Every structure is written in C-alpha cells, then in structure tokens.
Amino acid sequence: MQAQMVPFIISEDARGQADFYIQALGGEIGILTTFGSMPGMPEAHQDKVMHMSLTLAGGNRLILTDAFQETPKGSNMGLALTFSHEEDARAAYRNLSQGGTEKYPFELQPWGAYYGEVIDRYGMTWQMVFQG
C-alpha cells in the first residue's frame, strides 16, 4: 500500500492561521475552497474554509479547514492521506475506522475526488482522498 501523508489543521480561523504561517515560514496558498461550494450548506457557513492547501518553507504541504465549533487546543490536528489507487484508499478507510467512528462516508464528491473521513480509536481524525 502506498500513500502520501499531508498534515491538516482544523482551525477556528483557517485564513488567519494560514496568513500567520505564510508570514512566519514563507509560502503560498495553492487551493482554497469554501463550504459554499457544497449543495445545501447554510448561508452562515458558506464562507468557511472547507479546504486550503498551503506550500510552506520550501515545499512542505499543509491543509487547513475551518471548524464549525470551538476546538479545544490539542484536538485541532488530523492527518490526510492521498492515494494513487481507490482500492488502497477504501482499505485504509475501513482499517482506520475499526474501533473508531466513520465521520464522513468514503464516496465520490461534487469536486470530483473520492473522499472519506474517520476518527480512529485514539481520537485522531483521518481524511482519505483518491483523485482519479
């Protein structure tokens, strides 16, 4: 099984946090998608960051997303795995969800990728992505 691991942060202010990291480490925003692109999202949440990909400090990737509620310090870190093969992404989703919680089902999303999210038995949030 092969995958690329990309850290992501669940933030109360993803845009502000990204600006801080860019100022502190150098870098740029590569992708910024808001929850407004999701059908049926309430207007109050439409400007929240769904996915923001940063390149920092000479090529390191980091992903940020806005939280929908206050996040206790220390619980705002998760891991994102981007797979080359859909079967591997599905297997990782199944394996990591054992003893944990399936937060978002692994399925084709409106933006064209397969995506799923689980919280493992230790409380770590994992995102699985396959872009075919």
Side-chain angles (χ1 to χ4, degrees):
M1 183 180 296
Q2 274 191 317
Q4 177 186 13
M5 185 178 294
V6 179
F8 78 93
I9 295 174
I10 301 165
S11 177
E12 290 183 33
D13 178 15
R15 287 181 176 90
Q17 197 165 354
D19 289 342
F20 174 75
Y21 292 154
I22 290 168
Q23 291 298 316
L25 302 171
E28 61 186 5
I29 296 171
I31 297 172
L32 173 59
T33 308
T34 66
F35 282 97
S37 64
M38 295 297 292
M41 184 60 63
E43 188 166 324
H45 298 305
Q46 289 191 4
D47 197 41
K48 286 186 169 281
V49 173
M50 179 171 67
H51 178 94
M52 181 188 302
S53 177
L54 304 178
T55 304
L56 298 170
N60 296 289
R61 286 191 55 216
L62 177 67
I63 297 171
L64 287 96
T65 186
D66 276 325
F68 284 93
Q69 67 273 348
E70 185 176 329
T71 56
K73 300 300 179 213
S75 68
N76 59 349
M77 186 69 184
L79 299 171
L81 295 170
T82 301
F83 291 87
S84 300
H85 301 285
E86 181 182 346
E87 307 85 13
D88 290 342
R90 288 186 182 282
Y93 182 86
R94 279 191 311 273
N95 294 341
L96 289 167
S97 64
Q98 289 184 25
T101 304
E102 294 182 7
K103 188 174 175 184
Y104 196 87
F106 186 81
E107 56 190 35
L108 184 60
Q109 301 302 313
W111 62 89
Y114 283 85
Y115 171 86
E117 193 170 328
V118 300
I119 300 172
D120 71 21
R121 67 183 75 180
Y122 301 103
M124 178 60 71
T125 299
W126 292 84
Q127 295 180 347
M128 271 57 68
V129 178
F130 168 68
Q131 182 83 40

